[in-house]
Amino acid sequence: MTDLRIGVVGIPGKWSTEVLADALEAKTGFRCVVDMADVVLDLEARALMAGQIDLCSLDGIVVKKISQTYSPATLDRLEMLRLAEASGTKVFSSTRSILGLVNRLSCTVTLANAGIPMPATCVSESEDEALAAVLRFGSAVFKPLFSTKARGMTLMDAAEGETALRHKIAAFKADNPVMYLQKKVNLSGRDLGMVFLGGSYLGTYARVAQTNSWNTTILHGGKYEPFEPDADLIELARLAQEPFDLDFTTVDVGLTDNGPVVFEVSAFGGFKGALEGAGIDAAKLYANHVIEKVRG
């Protein structure tokens, strides 16, 4: 046991949040699970209160999940945590790192600037340009800028015809004024989650579709399986996560007919896929990493 007080920001009752809190409690004897919906920022008092606990007084905060669903409000929650950082509380991963990932476009531009291969991508507020991109790609996935586990994503195919596509594009734009779309690539029903801790590679799992769904997420019926990547694939994932300076992350990679592509780098990483697909106890390893960093 130590005298360290390290809290977990997440969703109380959710497995990944609680298993991380368990791992930290086993090492420190302290347990604090924080739902940011209940946190009060008092700038006059320089306090960030979660019930009776001032998060600014903690030694560390691990952000496992900032909100149940992503939205621009997610950015506001991260901004609140910046007060704790300024007060000397170490946040994992840093708010600066997470802020660069919660918005899908921010992540994509960083990856593109680093020369990381991705599916052909178009971003526009113009419905005409979005239609032109679908016709050019043949098939495209429209993705909300703030979403997880493929929520809100819409597949559009040129074969549907321009009239039907215009209706679908207009419906998507009603909720997503800035439209982000990527060419649909052939993944043969499988994509990869490549896990990193402190920039070091831990292992890889595959998400494998079990239905006719075009995506492989567990939310849509996929399941986890082991996967052994070669050295080149590991290096690609390492380069993809490197610009973000994350303490823990999963790089989502697809294997296409034209080589591997990176879809995104996760702001928080997945514990369940790492455990069930790769046999990695990410919560325990992450807890040890955080304690070591807090001790300095």
Side-chain angles (χ1 to χ4, degrees), residues 8-69:
V8 176
V9 166
I11 310 299
K14 289 292 186 178
W15 179 81
S16 61
T17 297
E18 298 295 342
V19 75
L20 180 56
D22 289 344
L24 286 166
E25 184 180 17
K27 292 287 186 178
T28 68
F30 178 81
R31 186 186 191 88
C32 175
V33 175
V34 177
D35 184 341
M36 286 300 294
D38 300 328
V39 173
V40 177
L41 171 64
D42 186 337
L43 286 176
E44 183 179 19
R46 299 289 298 174
L48 190 63
M49 301 303 299
Q52 299 301 309
I53 296 178
D54 183 357
L55 300 185
C56 296
S57 71
L58 298 181
D59 298 296
I61 298 170
V62 189
V63 186
K64 184 63 195 81
K65 196 77 171 177
I66 194 68
S67 58
Q68 184 67 58
T69 57

Side-chain angles (χ1 to χ4, degrees), residues 2-280:
T2 73
D3 59 355
L4 296 178
R5 300 169 71 242
I6 301 171
V8 176
V9 166
I11 310 299
K14 289 292 186 178
W15 179 81
S16 61
T17 297
E18 298 295 342
V19 75
L20 180 56
D22 289 344
L24 286 166
E25 184 180 17
K27 292 287 186 178
T28 68
F30 178 81
R31 186 186 191 88
C32 175
V33 175
V34 177
D35 184 341
M36 286 300 294
D38 300 328
V39 173
V40 177
L41 171 64
D42 186 337
L43 286 176
E44 183 179 19
R46 299 289 298 174
L48 190 63
M49 301 303 299
Q52 299 301 309
I53 296 178
D54 183 357
L55 300 185
C56 296
S57 71
L58 298 181
D59 298 296
I61 298 170
V62 189
V63 186
K64 184 63 195 81
K65 196 77 171 177
I66 194 68
S67 58
Q68 184 67 58
T69 57
Y70 289 3
S71 73
T74 301
L75 303 179
D76 298 329
R77 292 182 171 188
L78 289 166
E79 293 293 346
M80 292 169 69
L81 285 174
R82 288 180 60 206
L83 183 76
E85 279 184 317
S87 300
T89 300
K90 294 184 178 180
V91 177
F92 304 88
S93 296
S94 72
T95 56
R96 172 186 53 80
S97 295
I98 298 174
L99 281 165
L101 284 166
V102 171
N103 182 314
R104 189 182 307 278
L105 182 54
S106 178
C107 175
T108 298
V109 170
T110 298
L111 290 172
N113 288 345
I116 302 300
M118 292 179 292
T121 304
C122 175
V123 181
S124 179
E125 296 182 44
S126 166
E127 294 180 30
D128 289 338
E129 292 297 334
L131 174 62
V134 175
L135 297 177
R136 183 168 70 252
F137 294 159
S139 186
V141 181
F142 283 62
K143 302 181 178 183
L145 294 183
F146 297 90
S147 74
T148 60
K149 303 185 185 301
R151 292 183 179 92
M153 294 186 184
T154 303
L155 178 63
M156 303 196 196
D157 194 285
E160 297 176 63
E162 290 193 19
T163 300
L165 284 171
R166 285 191 180 277
H167 285 301
K168 289 180 71 173
I169 289 170
F172 183 83
K173 187 182 179 184
D175 295 321
N176 304 275
V178 177
M179 293 175 288
Y180 175 113
L181 57 143
Q182 287 187 321
K183 181 178 181 179
K184 183 179 179 293
V185 293
N186 180 18
L187 299 176
S188 300
R190 179 182 65 184
D191 69 348
L192 309 177
M194 305 187 69
V195 187
F196 290 80
L197 177 66
S200 297
Y201 173 71
L202 291 183
T204 296
Y205 59 89
R207 285 175 293 253
V208 183
Q210 302 298 299
T211 67
N212 292 325
S213 173
W214 57 267
N215 73 70
T216 62
T217 63
I218 305 306
L219 186 66
H220 289 83
K223 71 172 185 178
Y224 299 118
E225 292 183 356
F227 186 88
E228 289 295 332
D230 60 25
D232 289 342
L233 198 58
I234 294 171
E235 178 63 8
L236 171 63
R238 187 193 67 77
L239 290 172
Q241 59 85 43
E242 189 174 50
F244 300 100
D245 192 27
L246 296 156
D247 287 285
F248 181 79
T249 188
T250 302
V251 182
D252 290 344
V253 178
L255 303 178
T256 78
D257 297 336
N258 297 314
V261 293
V262 173
F263 291 111
E264 66 179 10
V265 177
S266 171
F268 311 109
F271 284 178
K272 187 158 286 188
L275 183 62
E276 295 182 4
I280 298 169

